């Protein structure tokens, strides 16, 4: 898929915007840190590009939003065609998905800048307001369309243009407070050691899960009965099968390559 093929290009952008020397340890040489006006301008420009791209494509092609009450659509067949157009024109395109990556770049810069300046902890009011705003934004982007089967075209344009960025901002706020040591209970849950084995499989699971879902979808010969129970069972089934396949893939391909890379690096280092 094009979106996956573009992550190398995004990493190149990371090196340009954050680490021109190609080494993250040279933090003082970051473009955002050394020339903040230029760095901020680049980030702002790309934010504008991805917003305009999502908004314009949605408006020109009369696309739908990717979530909401799908079964409540008045013209189901027409909706399915518009959803397929959304997938082809927005979902898999790099320039429409880059907003989340830009939020990550901005978060990395903020954390580095805070570390360099030895900033003090945030006061309780700031943390509380931050949690409230971040939760509201993230939950609105995720569940705001639950009882809204039909949106106007302009509303759909704004949702497609801002939902990914908004959800990423919510997650970025959670990461920020956890990294600076003020995440409390949330940080304890996210730092639970039981997550470590699963975290090592996330990229393989990311690559494999579309194959699992597509294989299941293409194997269907009849319509499935839509219910919360069925969706939960499908989710759990996809989760278990995906991570089982990810474990096998990691053991056969990812882990050997990582070990080989370490051996080569250690040999040249010595």
């Amino acid at each position: 898929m094009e979106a996956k093929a573009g992550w190398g290009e995004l990493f190149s952008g990371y090196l340009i915007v954050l680490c021109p020397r190609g080494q993250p340890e040279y933090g003082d040489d970051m473009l955002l840190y050394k020339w903040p006006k230029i760095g901020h301008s680049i980030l702002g420009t790309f934010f504008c590009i991805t917003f305009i791209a999502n908004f314009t494509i949605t408006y020109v092609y009369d696309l739908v939003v990717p979530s909401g009450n799908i079964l409540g659509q008045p013209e189901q067949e027409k909706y399915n065609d518009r959803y397929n157009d959304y997938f082809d024109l927005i979902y898999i395109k790099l320039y429409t998905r880059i907003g989340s990556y830009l939020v990550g770049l901005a978060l990395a810069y903020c954390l580095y800048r805070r570390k360099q300046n030895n900033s003090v902890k945030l006061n309780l009011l700031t943390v509380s307001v931050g949690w409230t705003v971040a939760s509201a934004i993230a939950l609105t982007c995720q569940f705001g369309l639950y009882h809204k089967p039909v949106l106007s075209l302009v509303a759909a344009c704004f949702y497609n243009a801002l939902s990914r960025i908004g959800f990423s901002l919510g997650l970025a706020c959670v990461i920020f407070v956890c990294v600076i040591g003020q995440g409390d209970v949330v940080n304890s849950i996210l730092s639970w050691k039981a997550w470590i084995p699963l975290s090592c499989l996330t990229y393989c699971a990311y690559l494999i899960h579309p194959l699992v879902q597509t294989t299941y979808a293409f194997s269907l010969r009849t319509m499935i009965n839509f219910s919360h129970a069925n969706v939960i069972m499908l989710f759990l089934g996809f989760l278990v099968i995906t991570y089982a396949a990810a474990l096998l893939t990691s053991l056969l391909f990812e882990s050997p390559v990582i070990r080989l890379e370490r051996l080569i690096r250690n040999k040249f280092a010595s």
Side-chain angles (χ1 to χ4, degrees):
M1 294 175 66
E2 293 184 32
K4 295 177 182 177
W7 294 124
E9 301 168 22
L10 291 181
F11 182 73
S12 300
Y14 153 76
L15 295 179
I16 294 173
V17 177
L18 284 183
C19 301
R21 295 193 202 178
Q23 298 293 333
E25 57 266 25
Y26 293 118
D28 292 337
D29 201 33
M30 292 191 302
L31 183 59
L32 272 171
Y33 188 83
K34 196 170 184 179
W35 298 288
K37 291 184 179 180
I38 298 177
H40 295 161
S41 298
I42 293 175
L43 280 182
T45 299
F46 279 106
F47 270 120
C48 292
I49 289 174
T50 188
F51 173 84
I52 294 173
N54 279 283
F55 191 98
T56 304
I57 293 173
T58 302
Y59 187 84
V60 171
Y61 292 95
D62 190 21
L63 302 181
V64 298
V65 295
S67 58
N69 187 0
I70 298 176
L71 298 181
Q73 300 298 321
E75 299 180 13
Q76 193 65 47
E77 293 185 3
K78 183 178 179 181
Y79 174 84
N80 292 339
D81 293 336
R82 294 169 67 196
Y83 186 87
N84 291 333
D85 291 338
Y86 166 84
F87 184 86
D88 293 334
L89 296 172
I90 288 184
Y91 185 80
I92 64 174
K93 301 301 182 182
L94 176 64
Y95 49 82
T96 57
R97 300 172 62 93
I98 197 175
S100 301
Y101 196 84
L102 296 175
V103 172
L105 289 178
L107 173 64
Y109 167 70
C110 291
L111 290 172
Y112 179 80
R113 188 67 179 266
R114 182 179 176 83
K115 181 179 179 181
Q116 291 299 105
N117 295 338
N118 294 319
S119 301
V120 298
K121 287 189 175 182
L122 303 176
N123 59 58
L124 181 60
L125 178 61
T126 302
V127 174
S128 300
V129 172
W131 274 115
T132 303
V133 174
S135 300
I137 293 175
L139 293 176
T140 299
C141 293
Q142 191 69 17
F143 301 107
L145 303 180
Y146 185 70
H147 289 297
K148 295 185 179 298
V150 179
L151 285 182
S152 66
L153 179 58
V154 174
C157 291
F158 276 106
Y159 184 87
N160 286 341
L162 295 174
S163 58
R164 282 199 183 93
I165 295 176
F167 187 74
S168 301
L169 282 173
L171 294 182
C173 291
V174 174
I175 295 172
F176 180 80
V177 294
C178 289
V179 170
I180 66 175
Q182 294 185 257
D184 298 331
V185 177
V186 175
N187 186 48
S188 300
I189 295 174
L190 296 178
S191 301
W192 188 30
K193 292 184 179 180
W195 299 123
I196 295 177
L198 292 177
S199 69
C200 297
L201 301 175
T202 51
Y203 186 68
C204 286
Y206 166 72
L207 296 177
I208 291 172
H209 85 275
L211 300 178
V212 176
Q213 293 177 323
T214 303
T215 301
Y216 171 77
F218 286 168
S219 68
L220 294 175
R221 294 296 178 266
T222 59
M223 300 292 289
I224 62 173
N225 182 34
F226 182 84
S227 67
H228 289 92
N230 280 346
V231 172
I232 292 173
M233 294 302 295
L234 285 174
F235 168 77
L236 294 176
F238 288 146
L239 180 67
V240 173
I241 294 174
T242 296
Y243 269 90
L247 175 61
L248 182 62
T249 304
S250 179
L251 292 175
L252 290 177
F253 301 102
E254 187 178 23
S255 295
V257 171
I258 292 176
R259 288 180 175 271
L260 180 61
E261 180 185 1
R262 288 176 180 173
L263 289 175
I264 295 175
R265 186 185 302 171
N266 293 336
K267 185 174 182 179
F268 280 101
S270 60

